[in-house]
Amino acid sequence: MDPIALTAGVGYDLLGGDRPETLWLGIGTLLMLIGTFYFIVKGWGVTDKEAREYYAITILVPGIASAAYLSMFFGIGASDVVVGEETLRIYYARYADWLFTTPLLLLDLALLAKVDRVSIGTLIGVDALMIVTGLIGALSQQPVARYTWWLFSTICMIVVLYFLATSLRSAAKERGPEVASTFNTLTALVLILWTAYPILWIIGTEGAGVVGLGVETLLFMVLDVTAKVGFGFILLRSRAILGDTEAPEPSAGAEASAAD
Amino acid sequence: MTDTTTEQPPALNTRSVVGLGACAAVALVGIFLIPTLQGPSGGLNVRFWTMAALELLAMGGVVYFVLNLHEEPS
């Protein structure tokens, strides 16, 4: 399929460098910054020990992501990689962002489920392997090698998601209906969003090239903002974090969980 | 789980708070490192792996410092 057909009219070149994806990168930077400052303001003065840990993690995630988006916006976070006979523009800052932020999102879930440190280390180790092998794929010059590393990375992701949906879910359930409800909501979000990443990679410019850079950047931006700011918003509004006195509303499905 | 009593909030571990700030700085350096390393000092792969190592270091530091964010009660 011709990628031009799917990129026509998608995006707007804000910097005049023939990069229409800068519109989406600029919006991504702004949304990540707004999320960061919202979490800082919301967490200011929090004294609860556990809540402080969640806030520390959840503020750093969009904070570093906003810097990564800013670097991509100005073209600093991109580099040309020769693949076969063509030159691809790789936004490597994505991988830097994901290496830092995806393990921290998992740390939030692990703290919520209150699993031991060995489980946390295993989960984060497999996650880091997932991103590193994805980066190897992005840097590989042979298409076969790129797809092989993509497959390896995707298998790592499946292991992480399986671990979340089984042992961490069981651990969270033991902490009561509020925690179980929040954990289930966040895990569902992670399962859906994280599954979309390898699909987008394989159909995007770094894979088969079915969609062009404009569409790819837009979709990655939506996924990133939802997976980081949306995730943090749900986590930090939950009664599992705030307790009964401050939470604005019951966690989704809490009553259903309590009825189990 | 918010503290609604008049008890003193648990003391933050100063070293961990400073460590979290340092990790954030290392993560930022990792993101902006590649353009500054361009030149004869190293190939593209070397620069990418330097970036990845810095991000992993920063992430590992955040995990450690968050798990030790408060002073242990004596």
Side-chain angles (χ1 to χ4, degrees):
Chain A
M1 193 181 298
D2 182 3
I4 295 169
L6 287 170
T7 54
V10 178
Y12 182 77
D13 186 1
L14 296 175
L15 298 177
D18 196 23
R19 293 193 307 133
E21 68 273 16
T22 51
L23 174 65
W24 311 124
L25 295 170
I27 291 173
T29 307
L30 273 178
L31 292 176
M32 292 293 186
L33 272 177
I34 290 169
T36 306
F37 287 120
Y38 173 77
F39 296 144
I40 289 173
V41 169
K42 193 167 160 49
W44 200 262
V46 164
T47 55
D48 181 74
K49 189 177 172 184
E50 280 185 39
R52 276 175 174 170
E53 294 171 355
Y54 293 118
Y55 273 103
I57 299 164
T58 312
I59 288 167
L60 280 173
V61 167
I64 295 302
S66 65
Y69 263 87
L70 188 64
S71 75
M72 292 190 283
F73 176 73
F74 285 118
I76 301 168
S79 196
D80 291 334
V81 175
V82 177
V83 178
E85 293 180 352
E86 60 178 327
T87 302
L88 289 181
R89 169 155 283 235
I90 305 287
Y91 277 102
Y92 70 84
R94 286 193 199 296
Y95 295 90
D97 168 1
W98 294 338
L99 257 177
F100 185 82
T101 59
T102 58
L104 297 185
L105 293 169
L106 294 176
L107 179 62
D108 264 337
L109 289 171
L111 290 175
L112 199 56
K114 255 198 169 53
V115 291
D116 59 70
R117 293 191 179 195
V118 174
S119 299
I120 293 174
T122 306
L123 194 62
I124 286 175
V126 177
D127 179 88
L129 190 63
M130 171 184 85
I131 304 297
V132 167
T133 49
L135 180 59
I136 297 172
L139 297 177
S140 296
Q141 297 186 338
Q142 301 297 325
V144 173
R146 296 176 71 82
Y147 293 129
T148 304
W149 286 114
W150 169 86
L151 183 63
F152 193 106
S153 177
T154 304
I155 290 170
C156 291
M157 185 198 72
I158 291 168
V159 171
V160 168
L161 297 182
Y162 177 79
F163 200 47
L164 280 184
T166 54
S167 55
L168 262 75
R169 187 168 181 265
S170 301
K173 198 174 178 183
E174 288 176 11
R175 293 198 62 200
E178 289 291 351
V179 170
S181 167
T182 303
F183 184 88
N184 290 342
T185 305
L186 293 172
T187 301
L189 187 77
V190 167
L191 282 170
I192 294 165
L193 294 176
W194 286 30
T195 304
Y197 279 94
I199 295 170
L200 185 53
W201 193 96
I202 202 77
I203 64 171
T205 56
E206 295 184 44
V210 175
V211 297
L213 196 53
V215 176
E216 180 188 285
T217 308
L218 166 63
L219 294 177
F220 269 135
M221 185 270 287
V222 172
L223 287 174
D224 280 341
V225 170
T226 313
K228 296 177 172 73
V229 179
F231 178 99
F233 190 77
I234 293 170
L235 176 70
L236 299 178
R237 276 175 65 89
S238 130
R239 283 192 181 184
I241 306 301
L242 295 170
D244 289 342
T245 53
E246 292 185 25
E249 57 196 33
S251 301
E255 289 176 14
S257 299
D260 286 345
Chain B
M1 279 178 281
T2 301
D3 192 2
T4 54
T5 68
T6 54
E7 285 177 24
Q8 282 287 101
L12 285 169
N13 183 334
T14 310
R15 192 191 298 178
S16 291
V17 174
V18 173
L20 283 174
C23 288
V26 171
L28 289 174
V29 167
I31 287 170
F32 292 98
L33 182 73
I34 287 189
T36 62
L37 286 181
Q38 280 176 352
S41 56
L44 186 65
N45 281 358
V46 173
R47 287 182 268 132
F48 272 117
W49 294 120
T50 307
M51 171 208 77
L54 284 174
E55 295 304 322
L56 282 173
L57 178 72
M59 178 273 292
V62 170
V63 173
Y64 175 80
F65 291 123
V66 164
L67 293 176
N68 296 282
L69 189 58
H70 294 92
E71 298 281 2
E72 289 295 323
S74 53

